[in-house]
Amino acid sequence: MDGAINGFPPYGFSAVVKFGGSIMRDLAVCKHAVAELERLADHGHRILVVPGGGIPDKAIEAVDVAASLTPSTAHHACALAQDQTGYMLADPAFSSKLVPSASLGECRALAKAAKVPVLLPSRLLFAADPVEWTWHITSDAVAAWIAWLTSTPRLVIWTNVDGVYRGGAVDDPAALVEQITARELVRFGHTSIDACAVDFMAQKHLPGAVINARYPARLADWLAGTPVRATDITVNGSEEADINPQTLGDT
């Protein structure tokens, strides 16, 4: 996929990395993960970071459990929680190269300048309104949609576990699913990647992986095509054709 369409300059991202909010529970791990993103940028990778809702999102969920927020309130508050996490990740306390932006065009320019753009997705989500207002849709699905929207060839869910485990048995190393197609993974339901994101990946032929940010070098290895301890999410043969929304005609 070269993304070359006359009059439509490609975004040129090599991967969308959904930076799981769970990573921020351990700030030392978070700093090491951010440092790895900076190192990848120094080596020519153009990474687009989509932040999870993280700590602000958990606070919204707690209020919803206690007071039952309307879907509109929950959806819009959670989108803004992603922005808040993005601002924190890009703060000098963590990073010298991560830069927050609400504009995909600016994100493209930042990546070209060897920075690591952190998309603040709320403005884009409010304008396009692409997802249902439900707790079943998480920042994983938002990241998958953004990867498709920008014609990015792969999606990484960077989180605090090694990947997807059969039966959710995260304490059983033998239960780790090392490779699976997106269509097969849909049947697992919500795991360390939400089911809506996996279904989107299957429908849009978008491969990716679930990778543990506690071992940040695994991300570089996976991007280089080296097998790592993670869950590699593939798409079947002919399905790997082209995820470009401009050429597929999908909406």
Side-chain angles (χ1 to χ4, degrees):
M1 182 187 68
D2 59 18
I5 301 175
N6 187 33
F8 292 84
Y11 288 98
F13 304 124
S14 54
V16 166
V17 174
K18 185 287 182 99
F19 197 108
S22 60
I23 302 171
M24 292 199 76
R25 295 173 191 166
D26 187 326
L27 295 186
V29 170
C30 184
K31 288 182 179 181
H32 285 302
V34 168
E36 180 65 13
L37 293 175
E38 294 178 337
R39 191 187 71 81
L40 286 169
D42 286 340
H43 285 77
H45 287 276
R46 294 187 180 182
I47 304 294
L48 175 62
V49 173
V50 176
I55 297 168
D57 189 78
K58 293 302 180 185
I60 297 163
E61 289 184 25
V63 172
D64 180 65
V65 169
S68 190
L69 301 172
T70 66
S72 174
T73 296
H75 170 74
H76 288 82
C78 287
L80 291 167
Q82 288 186 253
D83 287 6
Q84 291 176 328
T85 301
Y87 276 119
M88 288 188 284
L89 288 175
D91 188 86
F94 294 100
S95 170
S96 61
K97 283 186 175 292
L98 272 63
V99 182
S101 177
S103 161
L104 285 174
E106 185 179 17
C107 286
R108 173 172 49 202
L110 288 166
K112 189 175 181 179
K115 299 292 186 180
V116 182
V118 180
L119 180 64
L120 309 176
S122 69
R123 189 180 302 174
L124 186 60
L125 290 172
F126 296 164
D129 197 22
V131 299
E132 291 183 12
W133 298 356
T134 169
W135 288 106
H136 294 297
I137 290 284
T138 73
S139 53
D140 292 349
V142 171
W145 175 71
I146 289 167
W148 170 77
L149 184 67
T150 57
S151 303
T152 303
R154 47 196 168 178
L155 168 69
V156 173
I157 304 298
W158 225 15
T159 184
N160 63 344
V161 294
D162 285 344
V164 174
Y165 289 78
R166 293 180 182 85
V170 296
D171 295 325
D172 180 6
L176 178 67
V177 179
E178 294 184 355
Q179 188 175 74
I180 190 170
T181 68
R183 292 192 185 281
E184 291 171 333
L185 188 53
V186 168
R187 294 195 287 270
F188 280 53
H190 287 288
T191 59
S192 47
I193 177 173
D194 84 54
C196 295
V198 175
D199 194 21
F200 189 92
M201 293 171 73
Q203 296 292 333
K204 302 300 184 185
H205 321 307
L206 171 65
V210 179
I211 300 176
N212 195 337
R214 291 182 176 275
Y215 307 93
R218 291 180 183 176
L219 175 58
D221 288 341
W222 184 82
L223 290 172
T226 302
V228 296
R229 183 169 179 79
T231 295
D232 195 32
I233 304 170
T234 65
V235 289
N236 291 330
S238 63
E239 294 178 349
E240 296 189 30
D242 192 344
I243 65 165
N244 191 335
Q246 299 163 349
T247 59
L248 282 174
D250 293 329
T251 57

